Amino acid sequence: MMKIEMNTTVSKVKFLLLTICFLTIYDAGAQMVKKDFELAAKQYQMMLAKQQDLKSFPRTTNKDGSVKGVDVWDWTGGFFPGVLWYIYEYNQQPKWEALANKWTVALEEGKNLNQHHDIGFVMYCSYGNAARLEKDPKKVAAYNDILIHSAKTALTRFDPRVGLIKSWNAKASWDGKTMWQYPVIIDNMMNLEMLCYVSKITGDSTYKKVAISHALNTMKNHFRPDFSTYHVVDYDPQTGKVLHQQTNQGYADNSTWSRGQGWAIYGFTMMYRETGDKRFLNAAQKAADFFINHPNLPKDKIPYWDFNVGQKGYQPDWNQANRPKLSEIPRDASAGALVASALLELSTFSGEKGAQYFSTAETMLQSLSSDKYLAKPGTNAGFILKHSVGSYPHQSEIDVPLIYADYYFLEALLRYKKLKNRG
């Protein structure tokens, strides 16, 4: 009898200790989210005090440390109102809803953006979040009308002979001898969510069918056997034949640009959510496994801008002699934020593997929430994260804040909070 009572007492103590441990970890996660969103509100309040021009959407910083804005035709315009929507989603304060609405409406002309493929980034990160979070049915209907118009614009860059949405118009590659005719970049996966959404609200399957066609062809031609990704795949516009597999922002044609790998993880996870097609889930998981198990991924899980910089067997087409010599390979916080957000969603679809994806994303968020990457209040021109890279080969936006790093960071924090609450 004594032995049974003792065992029962030991079990109760173990249970109590496990409960305390769980609550401590849970509370630490909740505190991290709270701290980061409070900082986000302070930073963007500071930025908004200086950003009065509704035709200039914050993207990064100038050399003097001031905010660099872009017009509605830039691929990053939708992230700024998207950030405002995420702040509102977290704190539910009416002033943030009003600001998000104001900056979203300012982007309306973007519904006609057909110079490149990025209309999904521009319009869905802004109007998509607006339609999701707005409570006024009339406003939601108006936002949906603009998203439908945007989706129709996106389809003007789709050619059924190729089966993909054309990313850029014909342009030269870095090698100085190749002219891309029908270039498609891995980033383009991120524009498909808007098409799936528009099929839902209209009942017209055309948009979703285009998204599926694009995803299937991307899966076939952008992945290498190890599920690393090419940045650019160029096609023959008449036959759909693959002509070139190269890079534009990565280190070399055969290297893995970290943000590009992130676009793949995120995009194929989203396509599985929208279709239930296990091929997309498999692609997302294999791309994620490549990323998180790569020997060159730093301990804090925030990647270098490319996984293969300076390694044997990887030779850039761009002129390295004209690039500044750096003491270390730059990290890309934007890739870290993007992948953290993607892994959190992927974890919900992945059974036992989901625990690893969640744990990795949690580590990434903890790293991004540290002093190394998180700006101190009143600094960084109002942006939240430091140390992102736009395009090293173009000598553009190296080790600076980037609006899309902040966007995916806040999105990841919201996803993390929901999963923690669910758990």
Side-chain angles (χ1 to χ4, degrees), residues 40-158:
K42 289 177 182 176
Q43 291 291 90
Y44 275 78
Q45 191 70 60
M46 179 179 78
M47 191 187 297
L48 284 159
K50 296 181 179 180
Q51 295 300 116
Q52 304 296 329
D53 183 359
L54 288 172
K55 294 183 178 180
S56 179
F57 301 87
R59 170 171 170 152
T60 183
T61 51
N62 293 302
K63 288 185 178 180
D64 64 3
S66 61
V67 172
K68 179 180 179 180
V70 294
D71 64 22
V72 70
W73 308 116
D74 186 81
W75 77 276
T76 65
F79 293 117
F80 183 68
V83 164
L84 303 182
W85 280 115
Y86 283 153
I87 294 173
Y88 166 67
E89 183 173 4
Y90 177 80
N91 65 29
Q92 291 295 298
Q93 294 177 9
K95 71 174 183 179
W96 288 103
E97 181 184 20
L99 287 165
N101 267 306
K102 182 171 78 170
W103 282 91
T104 296
V105 170
L107 266 178
E108 181 175 354
E109 195 178 359
K111 66 187 179 184
N112 298 312
L113 195 162
N114 62 3
Q115 301 95 315
H116 48 75
H117 69 118
D118 290 308
I119 190 169
F121 277 118
V122 176
M123 303 307 286
Y124 200 68
C125 294
S126 55
Y127 279 89
N129 279 310
R132 182 174 64 87
L133 295 170
E134 176 57 58
K135 299 177 180 66
D136 183 340
K138 290 183 178 180
K139 286 185 179 180
V140 173
Y143 290 153
N144 282 340
D145 284 345
I146 289 169
L147 288 168
I148 293 167
H149 184 112
S150 301
K152 289 178 179 177
T153 301
L155 261 54
T156 64
R157 297 189 66 86
F158 176 78

Side-chain angles (χ1 to χ4, degrees), residues 180-349:
W180 293 329
Q181 300 299 319
Y182 198 107
V184 177
I185 60 176
I186 191 64
D187 319 39
N188 209 336
M189 286 295 300
M190 302 295 286
N191 294 297
L192 307 183
E193 188 169 10
M194 181 178 71
L195 300 182
C196 293
Y197 175 76
V198 168
S199 274
K200 284 181 192 174
I201 61 175
T202 62
D204 185 346
S205 64
T206 302
Y207 306 98
K208 189 173 183 179
K209 286 177 179 177
V210 168
I212 292 171
S213 173
H214 184 98
L216 288 172
N217 282 295
T218 298
M219 188 168 63
K220 182 168 65 175
N221 299 315
H222 265 84
F223 284 120
R224 305 182 183 103
D226 63 0
F227 276 83
S228 62
T229 49
Y230 291 103
H231 182 200
V232 185
V233 178
D234 180 39
Y235 296 85
D236 183 319
Q238 303 301 319
T239 66
K241 178 185 175 182
V242 173
L243 299 176
H244 310 98
Q245 291 168 307
Q246 296 181 272
T247 191
N248 190 56
Q249 287 167 261
Y251 181 69
D253 291 342
N254 60 333
S255 73
T256 303
W257 175 46
S258 62
R259 194 164 67 248
Q261 193 73 11
W263 297 138
I265 300 166
Y266 192 114
F268 282 102
T269 299
M270 176 275 297
M271 284 303 294
Y272 174 67
R273 181 223 306 154
E274 295 299 326
T275 66
D277 189 327
K278 290 289 181 66
R279 292 174 294 179
F280 296 145
L281 177 60
N282 180 64
Q285 290 175 336
K286 292 289 181 61
D289 291 344
F290 176 91
F291 189 104
I292 66 180
N293 296 319
H294 200 285
N296 293 334
L297 183 66
K299 288 184 179 180
D300 67 1
K301 309 300 183 186
I302 307 304
Y304 302 109
W305 69 273
D306 190 291
F307 280 103
N308 307 110
V309 177
Q311 294 177 14
K312 186 178 180 180
Y314 298 90
Q315 181 61 43
D317 290 332
W318 43 272
N319 188 346
Q320 297 180 79
N322 294 335
R323 304 304 185 272
K325 290 186 178 181
L326 301 170
S327 58
E328 60 182 38
I329 303 169
R331 302 291 190 92
D332 186 2
S334 75
L338 167 68
V339 171
S341 184
L343 289 177
L344 287 167
E345 180 168 28
L346 184 58
S347 73
T348 66
F349 302 133

Side-chain angles (χ1 to χ4, degrees), residues 6-66:
M6 187 175 292
N7 287 340
T8 302
T9 301
V10 170
S11 295
K12 287 181 178 179
V13 170
K14 285 182 177 178
F15 178 76
L16 180 61
L17 289 172
L18 286 171
T19 302
I20 292 171
C21 181
F22 171 78
L23 290 174
T24 301
I25 293 171
Y26 176 83
D27 186 62
Q31 288 301 312
M32 176 181 71
V33 174
K34 182 175 184 291
K35 170 182 72 74
D36 292 346
F37 267 98
E38 286 177 350
L39 174 69
K42 289 177 182 176
Q43 291 291 90
Y44 275 78
Q45 191 70 60
M46 179 179 78
M47 191 187 297
L48 284 159
K50 296 181 179 180
Q51 295 300 116
Q52 304 296 329
D53 183 359
L54 288 172
K55 294 183 178 180
S56 179
F57 301 87
R59 170 171 170 152
T60 183
T61 51
N62 293 302
K63 288 185 178 180
D64 64 3
S66 61

